[in-house]
Amino acid sequence: MPSYTVTVATGSQWFAGTDDYVYLTLQGTDGCSDRHLLDKPFYNDFERGAVDSYDVTVEEDLGEIQLIKIEKRRYWYQDDWYLKYITVKTPVGDYLEFPCYRWITDEKEVVLRDGRAKLPRDDKTQILKQHRRKELESRQKMYRWKEWHPGFPLSIDAHSHSELPRDIQFDNEKGIDFILNYTKAMENLYVNRFMHMFQSSWSDFADFERIFVRISNTISELQCHVTKRLVFPLEYVMQHWREDFMFGYQFLNGCNPVLIRRCTEIPKKLPVTMDMVECSLERNLTLEEEVKQGNIFIVDYELLDGVDANKTDPCTVQYLAAPICLLYKNLEKKIVPIAIQLGQKPGPDNPIFLPSDATYDWLLAKIWVRSSDFHIHQTVTHLLRTHLVSEVFSIAMFRQLPAVHPLFKLLVPHMRFTIAINTKAREQLICECGLFDKVGKLFVNLHCSRQFVANATGGGGHVQMVQKAMKDLTYSSLCFPEEIKAKGMDSKEDIPYYYYRDDGIKVWEAIKSFAEDVIHIYYESDEVVCEDVELQAFVKDIYVYGMRGVKASGFPKMIRTRETLAEYLTVIMFTTSAQHAAVNFGQYDWCSWIPNAPPTMRCPPPTEKGTVTIEQIVESLPDRGRSCWHLGAVWALSQFQDTELFLGMYPDEHFVEKPVKEAMAKFRKNLDEIVSTITERNKNKKLPYYYLSPDRIPNSVAV
């Protein structure tokens, strides 16, 4: 009688194994096997990390194996099982691979197809068409859209992490518990003793420095020996943060390098005159001539205008500003600030601050800009434009692309844990009275049982910001090269120190080349793209639910060509990997020195010049308690996951075809070359830029 050798691989994560009964049924073109118990006498089957083989004998040949059904039945207690894959050796010696990479929970069953990727048009038999349809029907019941706040992109319909489908939950929920991670951060940073000191101001900048030096030494040791991260020269930021070159540099290569744009016309709401800035211009040109030559840049925080400051702490009034900052490319081609207005409406009580003003006037104006930049970064650049957008991509993928679809296989590594981290954030971080209201996290002071707030856009301000920012969330703005060019920042000759742009373009092109290679394997023509009903449903879901059907977003409702599809997939893969890495993992580097990125300001913006003192600046900055919670926030958010998978690492073999594996190898080679280029450039740099080095770009938004 014909015999099939079935090999079963169990996952290696915690609690992946099972003691339950596991049954297998083979379904072929010529028949179906009996239900077969996979069990070996005196052997512990399906242990964590195990690869077990079984012989399945049938009465007659089954023909080409089309489906495998796996059933799990309880042995003693609730025992989930993570099945990686199954291989089948047929009686004639052929090997078939059946990827799974899913949890089988309760007394459930899964039906697997072999690993060859198939478009809908490729399925000719009714049984395969039915399997495809049933999988999507089941997924659409599990992955439901829900409005979290009016005007937001829709998110997953789940109130907590535990309500999510098991397949997309974190392997270890404790590892992403924000409150627990904050506690650990406080311990690691040795700032526990300051946590209760709300309303207690620092004495002066030297007071900041004393605690910061101790922290930076601790972090350097942790980064070297525990997290394996490069040691960023934190002391360099502390030593140079007051300097104009450092202020300007952060618009290019800090953790929010997306706002600066070339100024083509001085806006009327910023009535800067030549007399004001003449001493800052180095080319003996008028301000108008400098603008025409492309030497003037602008960053406008208009989005913050009218946003409510955090009022959840009755003991401390917090303030926001909506500044406009004018910058200049000097003869060294470095970007430096030349004028700052702290409000959107010009007037006698809204002066334009200049480098020629009194030292503390100019310093406080720059601090206000840095604080505003922090809020835009956290809520718009980071939360909206990476986390929430990536969740939209993830939900649409699970709802509209079956596991056999080549685009599901391509995209699923870039959706790993994204819905989970966002759900956990809504549960603890950015919910009402959540940790964002308190620095981004919920803080129950164990000493006095009070809750405090440390972020000026907490208490609802961050919701207003996302709602306002949605109008600028366009498809073209997510196309990295297009957005860089639209801002007038694409010339390497004019702006040579914009490493975010340089590295981002390289990574974008590598991802796009990989996407094109995969597309050309499965889509032989543009007509095949148009005919792919599952692809079109995926694109429509993103447009209708993610972008709320807003035509002005520019998101396509349909993909008609292979070229457009390549760009679309690149947008998704770049956003979920490189873009998030660029704006997330530098948070501790740039924001841990509190005066360089204050999460709140406790005094209103100055309304006249010549009155600012060092005491006023220190009083404006966050108090000791808020500062320490801020440190914990940026530390926790800057850490890689313990089981991080970086760009190009695909240990789960969803694809089995040789051409795709060759495309993956080519992709990894391209990424390795980018790593080498970035490493060489960073040698001996006081401010190395490595956030877009592929070996430090996680595949997905998972933190």
Side-chain angles (χ1 to χ4, degrees), residues 594-651:
I594 304 296
N596 191 56
T600 189
M601 298 291 278
R602 297 183 296 145
C603 296
T607 56
E608 57 182 343
K609 296 185 180 185
T611 62
V612 178
T613 63
I614 185 62
E615 290 77 17
Q616 182 181 344
I617 293 176
V618 173
E619 281 298 316
S620 296
L621 292 171
D623 55 39
R624 295 171 187 262
R626 287 178 174 81
S627 296
C628 292
W629 274 99
H630 170 79
L631 282 170
V634 297
W635 161 254
L637 294 173
S638 299
Q639 304 308 301
F640 295 126
Q641 292 285 328
D642 291 339
T643 57
E644 200 72 80
L645 296 175
F646 295 97
L647 193 58
M649 294 172 59
Y650 302 124

Side-chain angles (χ1 to χ4, degrees), residues 83 93 141 177 272 279 288 306 345 367 431 463 488 492 612 658:
L83 173 60
K141 292 176 182 178
D177 187 290
V272 176
C279 61
E288 184 178 347
K345 297 178 181 178
I367 289 173
C431 57
V463 174
K492 293 185 180 181
V612 178
K658 184 178 179 181

Side-chain angles (χ1 to χ4, degrees), residues 402-421:
V404 73
H405 198 291
L407 299 188
F408 178 90
K409 293 172 180 284
L410 176 68
L411 294 177
V412 70
H414 300 283
M415 309 301 169
R416 181 175 182 256
F417 298 148
T418 297
I419 298 175
I421 194 68

Side-chain angles (χ1 to χ4, degrees), residues 402-582:
V404 73
H405 198 291
L407 299 188
F408 178 90
K409 293 172 180 284
L410 176 68
L411 294 177
V412 70
H414 300 283
M415 309 301 169
R416 181 175 182 256
F417 298 148
T418 297
I419 298 175
I421 194 68
N422 285 4
T423 302
K424 200 68 178 178
R426 284 188 287 270
E427 186 181 349
Q428 291 184 323
L429 180 62
I430 44 181
C431 57
E432 185 177 355
C433 293
L435 290 173
F436 193 88
D437 286 357
K438 282 76 181 168
V439 202
K441 314 244 184 223
L442 175 66
F443 169 43
V444 180
N445 190 305
L446 299 178
H447 299 288
C448 55
S449 299
R450 294 184 60 191
Q451 294 182 348
F452 297 96
V453 288
N455 194 312
T457 52
H462 58 292
V463 174
Q464 296 173 332
M465 291 172 67
V466 170
Q467 291 167 336
K468 294 174 71 173
M470 278 295 290
K471 73 179 189 304
D472 297 319
L473 180 57
T474 63
Y475 178 73
S476 63
S477 72
L478 297 180
C479 294
F480 189 84
E482 192 173 336
E483 177 68 355
I484 293 290
K485 187 173 183 179
K487 286 182 163 65
M489 302 295 293
D490 53 315
S491 174
K492 293 185 180 181
E493 183 179 353
D494 282 351
I495 315 165
Y497 306 113
Y498 199 11
Y499 305 128
Y500 163 74
R501 171 203 61 205
D502 299 342
D503 298 351
I505 293 290
K506 291 184 180 73
V507 175
W508 172 275
E509 292 299 333
I511 293 174
K512 187 176 181 183
S513 177
F514 176 45
E516 288 171 341
D517 288 344
V518 174
I519 288 168
H520 282 82
I521 293 170
Y522 297 101
Y523 295 90
E524 61 190 34
S525 67
D526 292 343
E527 184 180 0
V528 178
V529 172
C530 292
E531 292 175 354
D532 186 348
V533 294
E534 291 167 349
L535 163 63
Q536 304 306 339
F538 168 63
V539 172
K540 184 178 180 181
D541 243 31
I542 291 173
Y543 172 73
V544 171
Y545 297 106
M547 298 305 115
R548 311 301 295 269
V550 177
K551 291 183 179 180
S553 71
F555 271 76
K557 302 177 188 177
M558 182 177 182
I559 301 291
R560 292 183 170 84
T561 68
R562 293 190 294 178
E563 182 181 359
T564 305
L565 177 57
E567 181 185 70
Y568 195 83
L569 296 175
T570 305
V571 165
I572 294 172
M573 296 164 70
F574 185 88
T575 300
T576 57
S577 59
Q579 189 60 42
H580 178 255

Side-chain angles (χ1 to χ4, degrees), residues 234-506:
L234 300 171
E235 292 81 1
Y236 195 87
V237 175
M238 179 182 70
Q239 294 165 2
H240 297 279
W241 70 280
R242 303 182 193 220
E243 299 171 27
D244 289 351
F245 95 89
M246 176 63 86
F247 181 87
Y249 180 88
Q250 292 179 75
F251 288 114
L252 300 177
N253 301 308
C255 61
N256 194 26
V258 304
L259 298 183
I260 188 170
R261 62 173 60 245
R262 199 183 296 270
C263 182
T264 56
E265 181 182 6
I266 303 295
K268 292 181 180 180
K269 62 182 180 180
L270 181 64
V272 176
T273 65
M274 178 62 182
D275 289 342
M276 291 180 182
V277 298
E278 184 175 10
C279 61
S280 297
L281 307 182
E282 300 179 352
R283 294 179 176 84
N284 294 319
L285 301 174
T286 66
L287 178 59
E288 184 178 347
E289 290 169 337
E290 294 278 17
V291 170
K292 288 181 179 179
Q293 289 202 6
N295 298 323
I296 303 298
F297 300 83
I298 192 167
V299 179
D300 189 348
Y301 297 92
E302 182 179 14
L303 186 137
L304 284 166
D305 192 34
V307 171
D308 295 330
N310 197 334
K311 297 181 176 65
T312 55
D313 179 7
C315 299
T316 301
V317 180
Q318 300 182 65
Y319 297 90
L320 293 170
I324 309 169
C325 182
L326 207 62
L327 301 117
Y328 176 64
K329 183 184 70 177
N330 64 21
L331 292 175
E332 295 179 330
K333 295 189 175 181
K334 294 181 178 179
I335 304 296
V336 293
I338 58 172
I340 295 172
Q341 182 176 283
L342 296 180
Q344 291 289 308
K345 297 178 181 178
D349 59 348
N350 187 20
I352 297 175
F353 292 92
L354 308 166
S356 56
D357 290 340
T359 299
Y360 292 139
D361 283 359
W362 181 234
L363 180 61
L364 183 56
K366 289 191 293 183
I367 289 173
W368 267 104
V369 171
R370 293 297 308 142
S371 181
S372 299
D373 194 80
F374 173 83
H375 295 304
I376 295 291
H377 166 262
Q378 289 290 351
T379 304
V380 179
T381 306
H382 184 206
L383 173 62
L384 172 61
R385 298 180 69 87
T386 63
H387 277 262
L388 299 186
V389 168
S390 295
E391 183 175 2
V392 167
F393 298 149
S394 298
I395 298 171
M397 181 198 72
F398 282 112
R399 285 173 53 83
Q400 303 298 348
L401 298 177
V404 73
H405 198 291
L407 299 188
F408 178 90
K409 293 172 180 284
L410 176 68
L411 294 177
V412 70
H414 300 283
M415 309 301 169
R416 181 175 182 256
F417 298 148
T418 297
I419 298 175
I421 194 68
N422 285 4
T423 302
K424 200 68 178 178
R426 284 188 287 270
E427 186 181 349
Q428 291 184 323
L429 180 62
I430 44 181
C431 57
E432 185 177 355
C433 293
L435 290 173
F436 193 88
D437 286 357
K438 282 76 181 168
V439 202
K441 314 244 184 223
L442 175 66
F443 169 43
V444 180
N445 190 305
L446 299 178
H447 299 288
C448 55
S449 299
R450 294 184 60 191
Q451 294 182 348
F452 297 96
V453 288
N455 194 312
T457 52
H462 58 292
V463 174
Q464 296 173 332
M465 291 172 67
V466 170
Q467 291 167 336
K468 294 174 71 173
M470 278 295 290
K471 73 179 189 304
D472 297 319
L473 180 57
T474 63
Y475 178 73
S476 63
S477 72
L478 297 180
C479 294
F480 189 84
E482 192 173 336
E483 177 68 355
I484 293 290
K485 187 173 183 179
K487 286 182 163 65
M489 302 295 293
D490 53 315
S491 174
K492 293 185 180 181
E493 183 179 353
D494 282 351
I495 315 165
Y497 306 113
Y498 199 11
Y499 305 128
Y500 163 74
R501 171 203 61 205
D502 299 342
D503 298 351
I505 293 290
K506 291 184 180 73

